[in-house]
Amino acid sequence: MAVRTLTIDSKQVSAEEGTTILGAARDAGISIPTLCHLDGIYDVGACRMCLVELAGSPRLLPACTTMVAEGMDVRTQSDRLRRYRRMILELLFAERNHVCAACVSNGHCELQTMAYSQGMDHVRFAYQSPLLEVDLTHASFGMDHNRCILCTRCVRVCWHIEGAGTKNVSGRGTHARIISDLNQPWGMSETCSACGKCIQACPTGALFRRGMTAGEMERDRTRLEFLVNAREKKQWNV
Amino acid sequence: MDLKDLLALKEKELAARKPIVIRCCTAAGCLSSRGEAVKERLERAVYDAGLGERVEVRGVGCLRLCCQGPLVQVDPDNLLYERVTPEEAGSIVDALNGEKVSVARGNPNDPFFTKQQSIVLANSGVVDPNRIESYVAADGYQALHQALHEMTPKAVVEEMLASGLRGRGGAGYPTGLKWATVQKAAGAKKYVICNADEGDPGAFMDRSVLESDPHSVLEGMALGAYAVGADQGYIYVRAEYPLAIARLQTAINQARRLGVLGSAVFESPFHFNVDLRIGAGAFVCGEETALMASVEGKRGTPRPRPPFPAESGLWNCPTLINNVETFANVPAILRRGGAWFAGIGTERSKGTKVFALAGKIRNTGLIEVPMGTPLRVIVEEMGGGAPDGASIKAVQTGGPSGGCIPAEHLDTPVDYDSLNKLGSIMGSGGMIVMDDSTRMVDVARFFMEFCMDESCGKCIPCRAGTVQIHGLLAKVLAGEATARDLGQLEELCDLVKNTSLCGLGQTAPNPVLSTLRFFRREYEELLLPDPFAVKLAVPEGTVSVEIR
Ligand SMILES: Cc1cc2nc3c(=O)[nH]c(=O)nc-3n(C[C@H](O)[C@H](O)[C@H](O)COP(=O)(O)O)c2cc1C
Ligand code: SF4
Ligand code: SF4
Ligand code: SF4
Ligand code: FES
Ligand code: FES
């Protein structure tokens, strides 16, 4: 494989032909923010967080789908890029419902982390607050459309890693939704193998393992009885 | 079929011509006002009058002045009849015997007609789109024969390069260059696609070409296929165009039967099949990568380019994709030479352009003018200006990706570069004229709503940004916006334009930006005073500060 040399943020970098700018940057220890990229599955260039500037090109290029070329001069940080990234995040927070305090992913969310790291400390755009459904029909998993950012990572792992093809996108524009099969409730899907790959792939709190959301905690009161018996009656076995 | 047969067919068709031809428009515009019944009545009247030997009633494509349809034109006297009803149609035939005609006469020498120059529409309104013989009589398929037997694929591409033709689907990419790239692309299998998805609101040029002269598109595609080395073509046409679909299917069947499509075309080693693919009407499926995904049976969403279709398109094979009007130009270019074509138009925009003239203007319909024609000629001379004494305020070109050109710039020549300079685009050929009753913020909101509804939803700036921009425009129109909102509107337009994945998002802000550029006052007049702009009381002698 031929090697290409390029400059990323004034740093000389070499990468194999066919590597993306994102890959080359990461190998060189330069981080570029991403949301729809997931190692191991093909890229779609949808979230636009990874846009970078290329000397001599008036257009911004997505680092995740642009291949390295000899002599490229890439900039991953500029006031303009930072502003765009913050606005994209603001658009996402305004689009659906991201009240982190009441979210299964609070503290473990790529979107939340990204907002912190990009300095998006408030949202200036009108909240759309659509009332979207929460699909709890599956025995093991749940989907909360209110938290989905339509990155399609779940769709791609479902089709191309698991090979089940359960997850799909329906509708267009702001009405686009992740669906199971041909828009059946997830629990009725005949193709879902319950592998849970989509849960692992999801960057937000949209897909989750059941039994983890607020209000789902069920207490086993017989345990308390055991404690009382143990202390007061010195009875150690149930 | 060889050249001798082709020419024999032409001669036979010409020899069978009757001295008088009544051409009756059977394109969608006139059909919607009972054009079909008009044609039937004309045929009956000719029969009843015993004129069958001398008079031919021919169903033809669009006669251009669609607003006055159904139109009927009589040769050789060049009489034009307007708003023909089935009841009155017979009187046109009576007039052939010197009787008085009761149908309104149009003026075929109006500038609307005389300022036109026809290449793409040369056969439109002349040939019968349902009969391949009619196209052959107009020298149809001669260019294909000539290319297959006298030219190398390379020579065909050379001719296209020499013509200077640029793509008519919107972006204006040089067609010859595209053909050369696909020709050079490595791959045993290549495809040719004709983009007939035409989704811009107000545009109907491509539909009209397909309904009026489907064979010129097929011949153009076959020439493209020969030039790049493809053996399979697809025409992606929207389901909303049933008549175009029917005529294309008829044309494909007839061309196969005649041996100008299919295997061993004109007894050469060239094979080329064309199939139709029907789109379900999503605007974004006109974008080339989304279109190809749709042809492959997938969800029609764009993907990042590169790779461009020329390199990796349909099923990852090199693919030539051009617009309907682009292909319709090709047979004439090869028949008459690239140099001839390059002699028409301007320095960097060659040939002619078809526009669908619509909106607040007297003559609406289809026009084809040389590139470089000033907007004023189109709007005032050909279009006859705004009706009812209103004055023209702006002309919108390029649909949802274009902009509004204000009346003071009406002397702008219509070519790719001049329109770009004014923040608009040539686009595919929609031209909407607006008079002084039009509110420009409303126009911007209309197009933004269109883009919002048609966004595929794949990338965030377009999916969510268009919603926010649309919301802000609605807020301005409701008189509830402030100067801050206007600032935010501009910031969002900049974001969506520069960060969206495909052309839809990248151009969606254009109608807003162009109305802001030329009609900013109309936005500002609707603004509320900013409630957060507080003047602090400061002691005498200090500089006053404004806290925002
Ligand atoms: C949102 C969008 C819609 C489009 N719709 C059409 C269309 O309806 N017809 C068309 O010919 N090109 C359309 N295009 C342009 C095509 O992507 C492509 O550039 C064109 O078909 C190339 O043909 P040309 O070089 O002959 O113009 C569209 C582009 C975008 C971004
Ligand atoms: S998905 Fe992430 S950003 Fe959204 S509410 Fe949950 S934690 Fe917050
Ligand atoms: S459910 Fe999760 S992984 Fe799937 S599109 Fe939504 S945010 Fe992305
Ligand atoms: S710009 Fe709009 S239409 Fe194009 S890919 Fe993005 S969301 Fe889809
Ligand atoms: S990571 Fe590149 S566009 Fe999402
Ligand atoms: S459709 Fe009949 S004149 Fe245009």
Side-chain angles (χ1 to χ4, degrees):
Chain A
M1 266 269 172
V3 170
R4 299 277 172 262
T5 53
L6 61 156
T7 317
I8 305 181
D9 293 344
S10 314
K11 188 169 169 180
Q12 288 285 329
V13 170
S14 64
E16 270 182 15
E17 188 185 344
T19 314
T20 61
I21 295 178
L22 180 67
R26 290 199 169 161
D27 286 345
I30 298 165
S31 90
I32 298 175
T34 61
L35 277 174
C36 66
H37 168 83
L38 186 67
D39 284 343
I41 47 171
Y42 66 93
D43 284 297
V44 290
C47 74
R48 319 305 284 171
M49 286 299 292
C50 71
L51 288 180
V52 294
E53 290 171 358
L54 184 66
S57 158
R59 294 177 59 175
L60 304 176
L61 296 170
C64 66
T65 59
T66 309
M67 302 301 156
V68 294
E70 189 63 37
M72 264 183 170
D73 184 2
V74 178
R75 273 181 71 168
T76 73
Q77 298 292 334
S78 71
D79 285 346
R80 178 176 180 224
L81 290 174
R82 275 189 289 273
R83 182 160 47 87
Y84 284 162
R85 287 172 187 152
R86 265 204 305 275
M87 283 176 78
I88 289 172
L89 289 164
E90 280 182 78
L91 284 174
L92 278 178
F93 276 80
E95 185 178 35
R96 294 194 175 178
N97 174 323
H98 293 281
V99 182
C100 301
C103 179
V104 285
S105 266
N106 193 7
H108 312 277
C109 172
E110 284 181 40
L111 178 63
Q112 190 185 44
T113 310
M114 189 63 73
Y116 284 139
S117 69
Q118 299 301 312
M120 191 221 79
D121 47 14
H122 66 295
V123 173
R124 295 164 302 154
F125 306 136
Y127 285 102
Q128 301 299 304
S129 313
L131 200 60
L132 301 184
E133 113 185 74
V134 180
D135 184 346
L136 291 175
T137 55
H138 196 283
S140 316
F141 314 125
M143 160 132 206
D144 184 351
H145 290 274
N146 296 288
R147 312 278 198 232
C148 173
I149 59 170
L150 292 166
C151 66
T152 69
R153 278 159 53 158
C154 55
V155 177
R156 283 174 281 152
V157 290
C158 185
W159 280 81
H160 297 274
I161 307 286
E162 176 62 4
T166 307
K167 293 285 176 203
N168 289 295
V169 187
S170 83
R172 130 176 127 218
T174 190
H175 302 293
R177 297 280 181 278
I178 298 298
I179 55 169
S180 298
D181 290 343
L182 297 170
N183 206 5
Q184 273 98 334
W186 196 353
M188 315 248 166
S189 165
E190 289 177 5
T191 56
C192 175
S193 60
C195 71
K197 290 187 174 65
C198 56
I199 311 287
Q200 304 311 328
C202 182
T204 71
L207 292 174
F208 50 85
R209 216 168 259 294
R210 294 198 54 172
M212 289 160 66
T213 56
E216 281 197 300
M217 170 72 171
E218 279 180 26
R219 288 192 166 72
D220 183 0
R221 297 296 180 196
T222 58
R223 292 268 140 197
L224 289 179
E225 210 177 331
F226 163 79
L227 285 178
V228 173
N229 283 344
R231 285 189 159 222
E232 292 177 2
K233 300 185 187 157
K234 308 282 182 227
Q235 219 175 52
W236 303 106
N237 30 17
V238 196
Chain B
M1 160 99 10
D2 60 15
L3 186 61
K4 208 162 79 287
D5 301 333
L6 189 72
L7 293 176
L9 186 63
K10 175 184 169 184
E11 289 313 318
K12 187 172 156 223
E13 178 75 9
L14 289 178
R17 285 269 156 93
K18 298 169 187 171
I20 298 174
V21 183
I22 302 181
R23 290 181 282 129
C24 179
C25 174
T26 54
C30 291
L31 286 190
S32 66
S33 43
R34 301 199 287 166
E36 191 67 46
V38 168
K39 179 166 171 264
E40 277 163 22
R41 289 299 178 92
L42 284 168
E43 282 164 347
R44 172 142 294 270
V46 168
Y47 180 82
D48 288 347
L51 291 172
E53 292 291 306
R54 281 181 54 225
V55 182
E56 175 193 350
V57 177
R58 189 188 303 165
V60 295
C62 179
L63 289 166
R64 325 274 174 101
L65 193 58
C66 307
C67 63
Q68 299 294 348
L71 292 185
V72 172
Q73 204 155 5
V74 182
D75 298 332
D77 293 340
N78 198 21
L79 303 173
L80 180 69
Y81 296 100
E82 299 180 344
R83 295 182 191 275
V84 185
T85 60
E87 294 72 28
E88 293 174 324
S91 120
I92 294 176
V93 177
D94 297 341
L96 295 174
N97 288 327
E99 283 173 49
K100 210 174 158 310
V101 65
S102 61
V103 187
R105 286 273 298 275
N107 175 14
N109 297 317
D110 189 275
F112 180 83
F113 297 105
T114 57
K115 296 262 172 189
Q116 302 210 23
Q117 179 174 5
S118 296
I119 298 173
V120 172
L121 299 181
N123 290 334
S124 172
V126 180
V127 304
D128 180 346
N130 283 316
R131 294 183 60 244
I132 192 169
E133 299 81 2
S134 194
Y135 180 69
V136 169
D139 294 337
Y141 289 110
Q142 286 182 20
L144 182 60
H145 182 279
Q146 180 197 339
L148 292 181
H149 288 284
E150 293 163 29
M151 297 169 85
T152 59
K154 213 167 159 172
V156 174
V157 171
E158 292 294 327
E159 213 56 53
M160 293 305 292
L161 281 167
S163 75
L165 174 67
R166 291 168 68 173
R168 303 295 195 235
Y173 189 81
T175 306
L177 216 54
K178 197 186 266 188
W179 287 30
T181 314
V182 185
Q183 185 185 56
K184 283 183 206 129
K189 184 85 184 168
K190 295 181 187 176
Y191 294 98
V192 170
I193 298 179
C194 172
N195 188 342
D197 194 53
E198 194 171 54
D200 294 22
F204 53 89
M205 308 74 52
D206 294 349
R207 185 192 72 195
S208 205
V209 170
L210 296 173
E211 288 173 358
S212 308
D213 191 18
H215 284 288
S216 67
V217 179
L218 291 181
E219 189 180 357
M221 287 179 74
L223 286 161
Y226 174 68
V228 303
D231 64 357
Q232 174 67 47
Y234 292 101
I235 304 177
Y236 190 86
V237 50
R238 48 185 20 227
E240 288 93 330
Y241 286 178
L243 186 63
I245 293 171
R247 293 206 173 143
L248 274 172
Q249 196 58 64
T250 306
I252 292 171
N253 295 345
Q254 292 177 348
R256 273 201 196 123
R257 219 169 300 139
L258 201 64
V260 293
L261 281 186
S263 48
V265 174
F266 281 123
E267 292 163 19
S268 77
F270 174 64
H271 297 253
F272 186 55
N273 268 315
V274 176
D275 288 303
L276 298 182
R277 286 292 176 272
I278 312 301
F283 174 62
V284 74
C285 284
E287 195 281 339
E288 54 192 25
T289 60
L291 185 152
M292 292 185 304
S294 176
V295 171
E296 290 174 10
K298 299 181 189 144
R299 180 177 157 84
T301 49
R303 61 154 175 79
R305 297 173 308 174
F308 287 90
E311 199 187 313
S312 171
L314 202 56
W315 291 293
N316 301 324
C317 299
T319 302
L320 173 68
I321 177 164
N322 275 129
N323 165 262
V324 171
E325 192 182 329
T326 312
F327 278 126
N329 268 300
V330 174
I333 290 175
L334 286 168
R335 223 169 30 234
R336 307 178 68 168
W340 160 78
F341 190 85
I344 303 164
T346 68
E347 179 64 35
R348 293 183 18 90
S349 305
K350 300 298 186 191
T352 59
K353 180 76 194 84
V354 181
F355 289 101
L357 198 55
K360 298 287 177 55
I361 189 158
R362 267 201 198 91
N363 302 329
T364 61
L366 207 63
I367 58 166
E368 181 173 2
V369 289
M371 292 277 189
T373 304
L375 261 182
R376 191 180 299 286
V377 171
I378 296 178
V379 173
E380 290 180 355
E381 292 183 38
M382 305 177 72
D388 309 323
S391 61
I392 287 169
K393 181 172 181 180
V395 179
Q396 213 277 343
T397 66
S401 315
C404 295
I405 298 162
E408 63 260 31
H409 288 286
L410 274 188
D411 289 315
T412 307
V414 173
D415 61 59
Y416 290 98
D417 307 310
S418 306
L419 293 179
N420 280 354
K421 235 178 268 159
L422 288 176
S424 189
I425 60 165
M426 174 79 75
S428 54
M431 190 178 275
I432 303 170
V433 180
M434 299 163 183
D435 69 6
D436 30 7
S437 68
T438 315
R439 296 204 297 172
M440 299 320 271
V441 188
D442 234 353
V443 173
R445 195 206 57 84
F446 169 81
F447 283 116
M448 191 48 68
E449 182 174 19
F450 180 84
C451 291
M452 174 178 82
D453 288 343
E454 295 297 334
S455 159
C456 79
K458 178 170 179 172
C459 71
I460 302 162
C462 170
R463 180 183 79 228
T466 52
V467 173
Q468 295 291 344
I469 295 175
H470 180 261
L472 286 168
L473 290 170
K475 199 171 169 189
V476 172
L477 279 168
E480 291 165 2
T482 63
R484 287 158 168 264
D485 292 312
L486 204 57
Q488 204 171 81
L489 181 70
E490 292 184 289
E491 219 185 318
L492 278 164
C493 284
D494 174 61
L495 174 84
V496 174
K497 193 180 167 90
N498 289 303
T499 63
S500 290
L501 191 162
C502 86
L504 193 155
Q506 287 159 9
T507 58
N510 284 356
V512 182
L513 292 170
S514 96
T515 48
L516 270 171
R517 173 169 165 193
F518 293 114
F519 302 95
R520 199 180 180 90
R521 282 268 316 270
E522 288 192 32
Y523 283 82
E524 286 170 351
E525 278 164 11
L526 290 165
L527 297 185
L528 288 175
D530 192 336
F532 298 106
V534 182
K535 272 237 159 65
L536 281 188
V538 283
E540 196 77 25
T542 36
V543 192
S544 85
V545 282
E546 207 171 83
I547 297 178
R548 281 182 160 262

